[in-house]
Amino acid sequence: MESQNPQISPPHAFQGPPETAHRSPMSGFAANIVDKVKTNLVFQSKWAELNGAMGDLGTYIPIVLALTLVDGLNLGTTLIFTGVYNIITGAIYGVPMPVQPMKSIAAAALAGPGFGVPEIMAAGILTGGILIVLGVTGLMKLAYNLIPLPVVRGIQLAQGFSFALTAVKYVRKVQDFSKSKAKGDRQWLGLDGLVLAIVCFCFIVIITGAGEKCSGERDEETNVDLGVDEERPRRKRRNFRKIILAFPSAFIIFVLGVVLAFIREPNVVHDIKFGPSAMEVVSISKHAWKEGFIKGTIPQLPLSILNSVIAVCKLSSDLFPGNDFSATSLSVTVGLMNVIGCWVGAMPSCHGAGGLAGQYKFGGRSGGCVALLGTAKLILGLVLGSSLVKILSQFPVGVLGILLLFAGIELAMASRDMNTKEESFVMLLCTAVSLVGSSAALGFVCGILAHLLLRLRDYRKGQPLSTLWMHENQ
């Protein structure tokens, strides 16, 4: 009996724990990743997240449509890859992290001939590669820690004003995206008239207000003991407000735009071809690499560093307290998107503070918001491919302008936290130079110079030199 016990008990006691100890690290790691992804993608409010997904379309659709019409961008491939980017970034970050076109590269492509698809993709790949290097080496994190907050706010304010001004042009002027210019004043009536745009603007203001929380919450905070006759009407008003505020305003307006697109050109149905667009590796010559770097990468790089990484880090911490994303992580994800997708013709993409503000404005609060948008892009890219451009070309531009207007205002309002006159001075100087010079890099340089001069002016003996930089952020 004694000889049998050692043979039976020990194996029983021995086999269980070692297997658990051997399997638990990997299984536990995988389980943690799955739980994290589920948490990041869960909807906080279904209608609000759906509404928030529409908040970035005012930027996305006009640029993608213009590049498709002017330079022959593969719309189907772009939809598929940007859709995948949306899903992955939503799963990683757990907030409505946007995927937007690289605007300086797009501007170079739309400026004139000689900058076609090979040059666009070369610029995207080079910009992405540099961002990966900056992220991996820690230089992006260093820049994030050193750049003063008023300078970042100045870049955000300039970008917000730029969006708002572009939105007003979309509303007031008839746009010809194929030539990147306005054709004349927009008529008051019609399926893309000023009246339609004004009605959409009023509808969004009534539903979302200025971006504050549900007004019913204020009623609850100020509620006092009232009689039954007074309480019932108040309760009905609160319920009515909740119903109104639950309307997905941006989604309703986008659906309206799609319906109007088919009404404006019913024959567009015959131009639809089912199936994804053919993907092929883009052939990039030495000349295309050179032109892409000079005309695309050089002007795009400062904007990507400031608006796609540093400003997004700051804004995400403002909108989602506790979610402090690493500048290294954002730099690497933006870089990977372009190093991978641009080889097969996908539009150069980045994150953007404007897109994040727009999606937040309309209700986006989780990664599920952009994952939903990414799924829609992926399905459209696989089912309709590049034939979708026929529908988008008929979409009311004035409606897109209204969506872009609210995104720009929301981004600009993030700069309202400057507490001193010196901070406001640096921010406004950076904003003015960025807008007038049409260059975030120029505004950044002027903002940094003004910040240093103000710090030197107030510099006192005995202070460490680091206070010249770190005073604002501490």
Side-chain angles (χ1 to χ4, degrees), residues 163-233:
F163 279 6
L165 293 172
T166 301
V168 173
K169 292 179 183 178
Y170 285 175
V171 173
R172 293 186 62 245
K173 303 290 184 178
V174 177
Q175 301 297 316
D176 185 355
F177 289 125
S178 63
K179 297 180 180 178
S180 301
K181 65 179 182 180
K183 296 194 295 185
D185 293 335
R186 190 176 300 282
Q187 295 181 352
W188 281 94
L189 301 178
L191 298 179
D192 191 13
L194 286 173
V195 172
L196 174 65
I198 293 172
V199 169
C200 291
F201 173 83
C202 295
F203 178 70
I204 293 177
V205 171
I206 291 172
I207 299 300
T208 66
E212 70 274 7
K213 293 183 179 180
C214 176
S215 57
E217 295 179 5
R218 296 193 299 269
D219 291 342
E220 293 176 2
E221 293 175 357
T222 59
N223 191 23
V224 295
D225 293 335
L226 300 172
V228 176
D229 293 339
E230 296 183 18
E231 177 63 22
R232 286 179 180 175

Side-chain angles (χ1 to χ4, degrees), residues 51 54 196-197 199-205 207 248-260 362 395-396 398-400 402-403 406:
N51 198 46
M54 306 295 108
L196 174 65
V199 169
C200 291
F201 173 83
C202 295
F203 178 70
I204 293 177
V205 171
I207 299 300
S249 56
F251 178 71
I252 292 173
I253 287 177
F254 178 74
V255 172
L256 173 64
V258 173
V259 172
L260 292 177
F362 289 109
F395 196 97
V399 173
L400 290 177
I402 295 300
L403 295 177
F406 281 97

Side-chain angles (χ1 to χ4, degrees), residues 288-363:
W289 284 111
K290 178 183 176 182
E291 290 293 304
F293 179 76
I294 295 174
K295 296 182 179 179
T297 298
I298 291 177
Q300 177 63 48
L301 200 56
L303 186 62
S304 292
I305 293 172
L306 295 171
N307 188 58
S308 300
V309 179
I310 294 175
V312 169
C313 286
K314 296 287 189 184
L315 184 62
S316 61
S317 63
D318 294 336
L319 300 180
F320 305 95
N323 289 328
D324 296 325
F325 300 119
S326 166
T328 298
S329 173
L330 289 173
S331 183
V332 171
T333 55
V334 172
L336 288 175
M337 285 192 298
N338 294 283
V339 168
I340 295 173
C342 288
W343 284 108
V344 291
M347 173 192 65
S349 303
C350 60
H351 303 311
L356 178 59
Q359 288 166 337
Y360 182 88
K361 162 68 180 178
F362 289 109

Side-chain angles (χ1 to χ4, degrees), residues 9 14 102 108 124 137 157 271 279 322-323 381 419 436:
S9 298
F14 176 80
M102 285 191 169
T137 58
L157 186 60
D271 296 326
M279 290 188 190
N323 289 328
N419 298 319
V436 176

Side-chain angles (χ1 to χ4, degrees), residues 64-235:
V64 172
L65 180 60
L67 289 176
T68 302
L69 294 175
V70 176
D71 294 285
L73 180 76
N74 191 324
L75 178 61
T77 300
T78 294
L79 286 172
I80 291 172
F81 274 85
T82 55
V84 173
Y85 301 158
N86 277 131
I87 295 171
I88 293 176
T89 53
I92 292 174
Y93 296 111
V95 301
M97 188 66 68
V99 174
Q100 297 182 313
M102 285 191 169
K103 299 175 185 63
S104 292
I105 294 177
L110 299 174
F115 201 91
V117 171
E119 288 78 12
I120 293 173
M121 299 309 151
I125 293 169
L126 292 171
T127 303
I130 294 173
L131 290 175
I132 291 175
V133 172
L134 292 176
V136 171
T137 58
L139 292 175
M140 188 66 76
K141 183 178 180 180
L142 179 64
Y144 174 74
N145 291 330
L146 290 179
I147 294 176
L149 182 59
V151 176
V152 177
R153 292 300 190 223
I155 298 297
Q156 289 178 322
L157 186 60
Q159 190 68 59
F161 281 163
S162 178
F163 279 6
L165 293 172
T166 301
V168 173
K169 292 179 183 178
Y170 285 175
V171 173
R172 293 186 62 245
K173 303 290 184 178
V174 177
Q175 301 297 316
D176 185 355
F177 289 125
S178 63
K179 297 180 180 178
S180 301
K181 65 179 182 180
K183 296 194 295 185
D185 293 335
R186 190 176 300 282
Q187 295 181 352
W188 281 94
L189 301 178
L191 298 179
D192 191 13
L194 286 173
V195 172
L196 174 65
I198 293 172
V199 169
C200 291
F201 173 83
C202 295
F203 178 70
I204 293 177
V205 171
I206 291 172
I207 299 300
T208 66
E212 70 274 7
K213 293 183 179 180
C214 176
S215 57
E217 295 179 5
R218 296 193 299 269
D219 291 342
E220 293 176 2
E221 293 175 357
T222 59
N223 191 23
V224 295
D225 293 335
L226 300 172
V228 176
D229 293 339
E230 296 183 18
E231 177 63 22
R232 286 179 180 175
R234 288 175 62 88
R235 188 178 302 166

